[in-house]
Amino acid sequence: MALAVPATLWLLVAFAAPMAIVLLLAVQESPDPFAPISLMPSLAQFAAILGDSYYIETIASTILLGLGVTLAAATLGYPLALWLARLPAQWRPYAFAIVLIPLLTNVVVRSLGIVLLLAPDGLVNGLLSPLGLGRPQGWLFTHFAVGLALTQVFLPFMVLALYDSLVQADKRLDEAAASLGASRIRRFFAVTLPLSLPGLRAGLTIVFLLASTAYVSATILGGKKVWVAGMIVWQEALTNLNAPTAAAMAVIMLVWGIAFAVLAERVVRVLTPWLQKAGAKPFAFELPPELARRLVALGDAAGGIVARVLLGLAIFLLIFPLTLVVVQSFNDVPQASVAGFRAFTFKWYAAAFDASTYLRDARNSLELALISMLIALTLALPAAFALVRAEFPGKGAVAAFWMLPLALPHVAIAVGMLRLLQWFIAIPPFWGLVMVHVVVILPFCISMLRTSVLQLDRSLEEAASSLGATRGLVFVTTILPNLAPGLAVAGILAFLISFGEVTVTSFLTTARMQTLPVRIYAEASFSLEPTVHAISALTIVGTVALLAIVNRFVKLDRVWAR
Amino acid sequence: MISRRRLLAASAGATLASPAIFGLNAVAQIRRGDELVVGIWGGAQERITRQHIVRPLEEKYGVKINYVLGGTPERRARAYQERGRPSFDLIYLNIFESRQAVRDGVTQAPAIDRVPNAKNLYESAKLGGYGVAFNPVTVVYDKRKGEVTSWKDLWKPEWKGRIAWPSYPGAQGTAALLMVAKLFGGSERAIDPGFAKIRELKPFAAIQGSQDQLYTMFDQGVADISIEFGSFTRSYAESRNPNIAIANPVEGQVIATNVACPTVGTKNQALVEAFIDLHLSEACQMQYARDIYYSPTVSGLNIPADLAPKLVLGADVNKLVDFDWDHVIAQQAAWTSRFNREIAG
């Protein structure tokens, strides 16, 4: 019970207020920005949204898009996560770079990469045209384009969530199944997949919530022809200064986000009886034996090829925008949007190193991300133990509360924070941003670490205790080393999300405290110059170097390979 | 605490620098150590204003000028939230946002007598604050595919299915909608003809949401014609795509302005006005014109002959098509929902 306190307290202080304001705004009748807040709740906004077929269609297509992206991320994520988990330890950091690079690349730049891919003379059209599936307009400005961009953006989250589960899984189970004559495809479906279900739950939840609330990629790839709910929240809140309608839409998004998270939770719980308390009913379903035999035969014949194709696709999708980043960062063009290569130049790097601006912002971003990550991990670790091992009244409600910041669109958090600006400005700018960033990344950390704690081998702890180790010693010598991969993955994710956060931060930056992504976003709002690509390229090189150095000195393989 | 002597010296300096503030109370004087917060766009505009405004002011008065970069929606939302107790001293808005902000008591109407360079402003740049740049909206097209001399050319068969229509709301989308309504018997108060005629142009190749997006569409051959800022498009055509032409339609281009808006309740009135004064100075206006083809909002500059044809100057400024922006902004929510359903859907 005490374990649940730190995370809950933090969210109560930093998140409950903006959340309450969003709820309060959603039940206002008048959209006037200067109207006094009325305490008489009115359902006028919800009635207006749910009574309008255009909004209903947008909501439905947003949910479908979110589900599609989640499915695509899982399909592409499994082969990639398995490949990562089975790679020799010395190569792992470099392979990790493949997953992390997209997360390090500015989302605007990534979306421009997808534009290039889907353009009329782009690769996708080139491949599909001979099949008679080409389109004169290319594949831009369709739901497919938006879905592809979102898959590219959120695939790394799925891979990291699965990776943790797969690395933790007991290798001996797979070996035992193999020795009993199970083919690879049967081992995947009977051993690997079930064991990784907790990770899959975290991945599905995170990807769905992110994909169904995103709006930046949808704006770029949808060309305003494809509308998602997040875009409506943004437009109502900012362009029309109509916070009540925006808040009501955000609340509707919140409801479906929580519904999805609860559903994923229930399904995985039923499918993983060995992780539940004793007496849980095992879940089993039998296919007709003839059908099962044929399916296995088909799987064995095609499984390897399909897995390789999916792995290739996943890597290509993640890496493709990178080539664009590198090419554009040396390209002498006035705007960053894609064009042919005109002339080689170093000027974007010169601009990126212009000490007065980017470097200072980059340092702000680094410090902010690092401190937010450390705080979030510190809060999330006891929270994860509370979820997995403690029993206390209202546990379900607390768990749902912790996930709220992930289910509420960032733009809605921003709207809530806007109303609190007067108080917020009184806080030192850096710590104010840390408060909010921790709120944004905490659900990811809790979700990831919960999977890791769930898969801890309790017998190791019992052995250590029986040998006379104190609880503190057990924690340091047994639990922490076993949690290392989970902590590393959660930490990396948290760091990168904080490092790239724009939506909420752009409302809270003050003149003395600006982050790098907010600056890039500000430039993009006027006209994007390739400096963005130079910065992205530098960030990527820096990360790969960092991973290599860490690998050299910390000997990650000791910790990670079990 | 500032010593009395320093205060006297500073205020004497400030008074000499701008006699116009003589007689204002002490709060409105520029003092050493004052900090100004300005909300402005990034990119070229940040660079130019830092060079011509921030550096000279900081050197001259010993003040500190901080920028909060971003687009107008975020700034505007914050300024509305902080009405009367602003964290910004000065925000830059577009033409219709600025006039609405004055009406809503968020930003100040211009005080032409207190800003020396403001007396040269064109009349249309004195509304909703101080216009610092004209950036008119017009038809831009691929000249290999046809010729455009009138807004009505958009309905010619050669453009069918090749149009990237600008999204609404936004400066370009608003200009396009109002202009079409005006051409076909409507006005900002009778918008139906606008929607009806735009519907006739469907299917669109795309709906474009920003100039960067449009140029990508041109590069990729997705569309051949759109409605956009002439200034950016000229930069793009000169540097990347010589096939793109900027039309000068007989009906005129639609006015769009970047406006400097002092907030209501700023504690740095005199410094804000000094800032705006420098933004309207010849050096800054010329740099805007040369670097990004923004047309000056002050008359009487010496524009070189090679640059003049690329800008909107003198009598042409008065030909820019203007609308009742107060009414336009009041209709925005309703028109947005119509646009999403009838045009983009």
Side-chain angles (χ1 to χ4, degrees), chain B residues 199-210:
Chain B
R199 274 202 307 273
E200 280 178 25
L201 294 173
K202 288 171 87 166
F204 292 111
I207 302 288
Q208 57 103 345
S210 73

PDB file of all heavy atoms in Angstrom, chain B residues 199-210:
ATOM      1  N   ARG B 199     -16.934  23.867 -53.774  1.00  0.00           N
ATOM      2  CA  ARG B 199     -17.377  22.466 -53.924  1.00  0.00           C
ATOM      3  C   ARG B 199     -17.296  22.019 -55.377  1.00  0.00           C
ATOM      4  O   ARG B 199     -16.976  20.876 -55.666  1.00  0.00           O
ATOM      5  CB  ARG B 199     -18.808  22.301 -53.398  1.00  0.00           C
ATOM      6  CG  ARG B 199     -18.891  22.030 -51.907  1.00  0.00           C
ATOM      7  CD  ARG B 199     -20.215  21.356 -51.539  1.00  0.00           C
ATOM      8  NE  ARG B 199     -21.375  22.095 -52.034  1.00  0.00           N
ATOM      9  CZ  ARG B 199     -21.974  23.096 -51.387  1.00  0.00           C
ATOM     10  NH1 ARG B 199     -21.520  23.468 -50.206  1.00  0.00           N
ATOM     11  NH2 ARG B 199     -23.024  23.706 -51.897  1.00  0.00           N
ATOM     12  N   GLU B 200     -17.572  22.960 -56.302  1.00  0.00           N
ATOM     13  CA  GLU B 200     -17.525  22.606 -57.731  1.00  0.00           C
ATOM     14  C   GLU B 200     -16.138  22.137 -58.161  1.00  0.00           C
ATOM     15  O   GLU B 200     -15.991  21.432 -59.153  1.00  0.00           O
ATOM     16  CB  GLU B 200     -17.894  23.830 -58.590  1.00  0.00           C
ATOM     17  CG  GLU B 200     -19.372  24.088 -58.703  1.00  0.00           C
ATOM     18  CD  GLU B 200     -19.635  25.351 -59.528  1.00  0.00           C
ATOM     19  OE1 GLU B 200     -18.766  25.709 -60.356  1.00  0.00           O
ATOM     20  OE2 GLU B 200     -20.698  25.968 -59.331  1.00  0.00           O
ATOM     21  N   LEU B 201     -15.116  22.580 -57.450  1.00  0.00           N
ATOM     22  CA  LEU B 201     -13.745  22.251 -57.841  1.00  0.00           C
ATOM     23  C   LEU B 201     -13.347  20.829 -57.433  1.00  0.00           C
ATOM     24  O   LEU B 201     -12.307  20.331 -57.840  1.00  0.00           O
ATOM     25  CB  LEU B 201     -12.755  23.234 -57.212  1.00  0.00           C
ATOM     26  CG  LEU B 201     -12.851  24.681 -57.681  1.00  0.00           C
ATOM     27  CD1 LEU B 201     -11.929  25.563 -56.863  1.00  0.00           C
ATOM     28  CD2 LEU B 201     -12.484  24.782 -59.164  1.00  0.00           C
ATOM     29  N   LYS B 202     -14.161  20.192 -56.606  1.00  0.00           N
ATOM     30  CA  LYS B 202     -13.808  18.850 -56.151  1.00  0.00           C
ATOM     31  C   LYS B 202     -13.792  17.885 -57.326  1.00  0.00           C
ATOM     32  O   LYS B 202     -14.491  18.103 -58.284  1.00  0.00           O
ATOM     33  CB  LYS B 202     -14.802  18.380 -55.077  1.00  0.00           C
ATOM     34  CG  LYS B 202     -14.618  19.112 -53.746  1.00  0.00           C
ATOM     35  CD  LYS B 202     -15.730  18.804 -52.767  1.00  0.00           C
ATOM     36  CE  LYS B 202     -15.407  17.565 -51.974  1.00  0.00           C
ATOM     37  NZ  LYS B 202     -16.279  17.421 -50.792  1.00  0.00           N
ATOM     38  N   PRO B 203     -13.030  16.797 -57.326  1.00  0.00           N
ATOM     39  CA  PRO B 203     -12.152  16.366 -56.250  1.00  0.00           C
ATOM     40  C   PRO B 203     -10.832  17.139 -56.228  1.00  0.00           C
ATOM     41  O   PRO B 203     -10.260  17.425 -57.290  1.00  0.00           O
ATOM     42  CB  PRO B 203     -11.893  14.900 -56.604  1.00  0.00           C
ATOM     43  CG  PRO B 203     -11.965  14.864 -58.093  1.00  0.00           C
ATOM     44  CD  PRO B 203     -13.002  15.888 -58.480  1.00  0.00           C
ATOM     45  N   PHE B 204     -10.352  17.441 -55.051  1.00  0.00           N
ATOM     46  CA  PHE B 204      -9.054  18.093 -54.927  1.00  0.00           C
ATOM     47  C   PHE B 204      -7.937  17.063 -54.934  1.00  0.00           C
ATOM     48  O   PHE B 204      -8.117  15.944 -54.460  1.00  0.00           O
ATOM     49  CB  PHE B 204      -8.996  18.895 -53.617  1.00  0.00           C
ATOM     50  CG  PHE B 204      -9.915  20.072 -53.615  1.00  0.00           C
ATOM     51  CD1 PHE B 204     -11.027  20.107 -52.800  1.00  0.00           C
ATOM     52  CD2 PHE B 204      -9.675  21.146 -54.458  1.00  0.00           C
ATOM     53  CE1 PHE B 204     -11.894  21.187 -52.812  1.00  0.00           C
ATOM     54  CE2 PHE B 204     -10.530  22.240 -54.477  1.00  0.00           C
ATOM     55  CZ  PHE B 204     -11.645  22.255 -53.656  1.00  0.00           C
ATOM     56  N   ALA B 205      -6.794  17.479 -55.465  1.00  0.00           N
ATOM     57  CA  ALA B 205      -5.626  16.603 -55.385  1.00  0.00           C
ATOM     58  C   ALA B 205      -5.249  16.419 -53.919  1.00  0.00           C
ATOM     59  O   ALA B 205      -4.820  15.347 -53.509  1.00  0.00           O
ATOM     60  CB  ALA B 205      -4.460  17.205 -56.153  1.00  0.00           C
ATOM     61  N   ALA B 206      -5.423  17.496 -53.163  1.00  0.00           N
ATOM     62  CA  ALA B 206      -5.090  17.448 -51.734  1.00  0.00           C
ATOM     63  C   ALA B 206      -5.644  18.689 -51.071  1.00  0.00           C
ATOM     64  O   ALA B 206      -6.079  19.626 -51.738  1.00  0.00           O
ATOM     65  CB  ALA B 206      -3.578  17.389 -51.537  1.00  0.00           C
ATOM     66  N   ILE B 207      -5.648  18.664 -49.753  1.00  0.00           N
ATOM     67  CA  ILE B 207      -5.897  19.881 -48.983  1.00  0.00           C
ATOM     68  C   ILE B 207      -4.546  20.197 -48.340  1.00  0.00           C
ATOM     69  O   ILE B 207      -3.977  19.353 -47.662  1.00  0.00           O
ATOM     70  CB  ILE B 207      -6.938  19.620 -47.869  1.00  0.00           C
ATOM     71  CG1 ILE B 207      -8.257  19.101 -48.465  1.00  0.00           C
ATOM     72  CG2 ILE B 207      -7.172  20.877 -47.054  1.00  0.00           C
ATOM     73  CD1 ILE B 207      -9.074  20.117 -49.214  1.00  0.00           C
ATOM     74  N   GLN B 208      -4.016  21.389 -48.604  1.00  0.00           N
ATOM     75  CA  GLN B 208      -2.683  21.666 -48.052  1.00  0.00           C
ATOM     76  C   GLN B 208      -2.787  22.496 -46.779  1.00  0.00           C
ATOM     77  O   GLN B 208      -3.569  23.433 -46.709  1.00  0.00           O
ATOM     78  CB  GLN B 208      -1.779  22.331 -49.101  1.00  0.00           C
ATOM     79  CG  GLN B 208      -2.312  23.628 -49.695  1.00  0.00           C
ATOM     80  CD  GLN B 208      -1.641  24.856 -49.112  1.00  0.00           C
ATOM     81  OE1 GLN B 208      -0.975  24.791 -48.086  1.00  0.00           O
ATOM     82  NE2 GLN B 208      -1.836  25.991 -49.771  1.00  0.00           N
ATOM     83  N   GLY B 209      -1.996  22.126 -45.776  1.00  0.00           N
ATOM     84  CA  GLY B 209      -2.109  22.768 -44.478  1.00  0.00           C
ATOM     85  C   GLY B 209      -0.988  23.742 -44.145  1.00  0.00           C
ATOM     86  O   GLY B 209      -1.027  24.412 -43.124  1.00  0.00           O
ATOM     87  N   SER B 210       0.024  23.817 -45.006  1.00  0.00           N
ATOM     88  CA  SER B 210       1.125  24.756 -44.763  1.00  0.00           C
ATOM     89  C   SER B 210       1.928  24.894 -46.036  1.00  0.00           C
ATOM     90  O   SER B 210       1.867  24.032 -46.911  1.00  0.00           O
ATOM     91  CB  SER B 210       2.053  24.227 -43.669  1.00  0.00           C
ATOM     92  OG  SER B 210       2.823  23.159 -44.165  1.00  0.00           O
TER      93      SER B 210
END
